[in-house]
Amino acid sequence: MESRETLQISKYRQKLKQLNPLRVNGRVTQVIGLTVESQGPDCKIGDVCELYPHFGAEPLLAEVVGFRDYRVLLMPLGDLGAIGPGCDVVNTGEPLTIHVGDALRGRVLDGLGKPMDGLPLPAGLHKYSTSNPPINPLLRPRIREPLSTGVRAIDGLLTVGKGQRVGIFAGSGVGKSTLLGMIARNTSADINVIALIGERGREVMEFLERDLGSDGMARSVVVVATSDQPALIRIKGAIIATSIAEYFRDLGLDVMLLMDSVTRYALAEREVGLAIGEPPTTRGYTPSVFANLPKLLERSGQGRTGSITAFYTVLVDADDMNEPVADAVRGILDGHIVLERNLAQKGHYPAIDVLHSVSRVMDQVASSEQRQAALNVKRMLSTYREAEDLINIGAYKPGSNPSIDTALKYIDNIHAFTRQDTFERSSLSEAVQQLTEQFKELS
């Protein structure tokens, strides 16, 4: 009995030694644009602080983003309307954390991980950090298994593996959100985590009800940070969605992470960087944008137990596929899918430009028969595209070129294969079977 009491006392003594009885608060000195400057408290980059208004309102959360002339620079995670000089600043001593668990399926969260439907978080959730480092590269298993997306053109011609990270590159209005909805509804993954970053408020319900639907919603966790939210909340929305995906991956599940869009995440990073005094570089983007992009994107992928297969949409300015963010993201990810405006204008959906798209792991997850059939399709598409103008004006005479003749014979079948109605279901096995059967004569 005495030994047990001794152990309890020693435990409490140890806690008392670790306890700091003094709390040093900081004071807001000025607010400039999006940035709050304070004198103190002691903190480090990434710590979340509480800003206390003068009139007894609820404290406002803000994150430490830098230091200048012995002053702390904070970015608010909410509205700054009640904050002014002299407000107390209290450091929580930890980065932003969220509560996660299986009960989040079917829920819509804001950019800080709080429910948007007005209902409380479900019971039984676990506290989880949002500042997790990427997995050690030597602990990442190789990608060896395919994952069905439910989109025939992707499954057959650009096969995706479990743990692969793919970019969807397109201009505005070409069908990115619709394609994400098709993947979310039809994928063979165990759970979807969907991040809508910088979306128009009007489009959120459209995506949830029209593109995702009740079936897709039941197996998804959705994180929403609309364009009117502060830049830091848009950044945190992307990070929180990735953290939720990591939690489910560590449980051994195959997770589908869908982020729309990584471009608006980069724009929010630029906004924060300019506000704290970073020099602008290419097209006004700050150096931290290109430093933080790989930190975010490398967190998805194959894990020791589960996997995060990720699709990131990239909104390209004026359909320029070589603009800075698109170029940086393409260099980080394991493949890219290009949506072509000309195909969309012809009513060809999904408007995937197969010739300009690539899956860097397809050779590792597809059979030799499928790879050969996909190669045949790409060759015929390339041949037809080169001769399309001659064919359209009637200048090409059949029999002049055997390759063009073959392309003309199969082009309608190719277009039928790559077209798919928004609510048409297709499995990986069906796509592969249809591909090999239709184009086996050319093998």
Side-chain angles (χ1 to χ4, degrees), residues 273-274 276-282 284-288:
L274 292 173
I276 63 176
E278 279 192 77
T281 55
T282 308
Y285 287 102
T286 56
S288 63

Side-chain angles (χ1 to χ4, degrees), residues 21-62:
L22 298 177
R23 187 182 76 177
V24 180
N25 294 353
R27 296 277 184 180
V28 173
T29 56
Q30 61 179 347
V31 179
I32 302 177
L34 303 174
T35 311
V36 177
E37 288 192 12
S38 72
Q39 187 73 44
D42 292 337
C43 53
K44 60 185 183 297
I45 296 289
D47 280 352
V48 173
C49 296
E50 296 176 333
L51 309 184
Y52 286 84
H54 290 303
F55 306 107
E58 289 292 319
L60 170 68
L61 297 181

Side-chain angles (χ1 to χ4, degrees), residues 80-365:
L80 274 173
I83 302 300
C87 290
D88 283 339
V89 182
V90 179
N91 185 13
T92 65
E94 61 181 9
L96 185 67
T97 57
I98 55 172
H99 290 84
V100 293
D102 196 63
L104 286 181
R105 290 176 189 256
R107 299 296 296 271
V108 181
L109 310 177
D110 65 13
L112 299 179
K114 299 176 182 177
M116 295 188 69
D117 54 12
L119 300 176
L121 283 170
L125 300 181
H126 308 281
K127 195 174 183 181
Y128 198 74
S129 174
T130 61
S131 58
N132 304 312
I135 294 177
N136 184 328
L138 298 183
L139 299 178
R140 287 182 184 263
R142 289 178 58 189
I143 298 173
R144 300 180 184 274
E145 297 180 48
L147 181 75
S148 176
T149 64
V151 180
R152 193 165 47 244
I154 297 175
D155 288 342
L157 303 173
L158 305 162
T159 310
V160 172
K162 290 181 180 179
Q164 185 176 354
R165 301 157 307 150
V166 183
I168 299 176
F169 294 73
S172 57
V174 186
K176 298 185 300 299
S177 298
T178 302
L179 180 57
L180 288 186
M182 292 176 67
I183 295 172
R185 288 193 307 273
N186 301 326
T187 179
S188 60
D190 298 315
I191 186 171
N192 302 315
V193 179
I194 303 170
L196 303 179
I197 307 302
E199 286 289 321
R200 304 175 186 89
R202 173 187 62 81
E203 294 179 335
V204 173
M205 284 303 295
E206 283 187 7
F207 179 83
L208 296 179
E209 294 182 354
R210 183 193 65 190
D211 297 327
L212 190 57
S214 57
D215 292 342
M217 190 66 206
R219 57 201 299 262
S220 304
V221 181
V222 182
V223 179
V224 176
T226 51
S227 57
D228 60 303
Q229 296 293 309
L232 200 57
I233 291 185
R234 282 175 268 147
I235 294 171
K236 290 303 179 185
I239 293 173
I240 284 173
T242 304
S243 301
I244 294 172
E246 288 173 327
Y247 169 81
F248 286 112
R249 178 191 62 192
D250 293 341
L251 293 180
L253 301 180
D254 292 321
V255 184
M256 179 66 76
L257 173 62
L258 306 170
M259 186 176 296
D260 186 16
S261 71
V262 73
T263 304
R264 293 190 177 109
Y265 164 83
L267 291 171
E269 286 279 7
R270 180 177 71 177
E271 200 172 325
V272 171
L274 292 173
I276 63 176
E278 279 192 77
T281 55
T282 308
R283 295 201 187 181
Y285 287 102
T286 56
S288 63
V289 173
F290 303 103
N292 290 330
L293 273 173
K295 291 180 181 178
L296 175 71
L297 303 180
E298 286 289 349
R299 288 173 62 176
S300 55
Q302 188 81 343
R304 284 169 288 185
T305 54
S307 67
I308 301 176
T309 307
F311 283 84
Y312 301 95
T313 67
V314 181
L315 182 64
V316 292
D317 286 338
D319 294 337
D320 178 11
M321 299 297 170
N322 296 314
E323 60 95 20
V325 172
D327 198 43
V329 171
R330 188 166 50 243
I332 298 168
L333 299 180
D334 309 315
H336 54 272
I337 295 171
V338 177
L339 302 187
E340 177 60 49
R341 189 175 300 277
N342 288 335
L343 289 174
Q345 290 172 345
K346 294 175 183 177
H348 185 120
Y349 289 103
I352 298 174
D353 186 343
V354 174
L355 295 180
H356 287 97
S357 304
V358 65
S359 170
R360 294 178 182 169
V361 304
M362 182 173 177
D363 289 347
Q364 304 172 38
V365 298

Side-chain angles (χ1 to χ4, degrees), residues 353-356 374-392 396-397 399-411 414-415 442:
D353 186 343
V354 174
L355 295 180
H356 287 97
L375 183 60
N376 290 335
V377 168
K378 292 177 183 178
R379 284 173 177 167
M380 285 185 285
L381 273 174
S382 178
T383 300
Y384 180 81
R385 186 166 295 182
E386 290 175 358
E388 188 172 12
D389 289 340
L390 292 176
I391 295 168
N392 288 338
Y396 176 73
K397 295 181 179 180
S400 302
N401 187 314
S403 297
I404 297 177
D405 292 339
T406 304
L408 282 170
K409 177 182 177 182
Y410 284 95
I411 194 64
I414 293 173
H415 287 161
L442 301 176

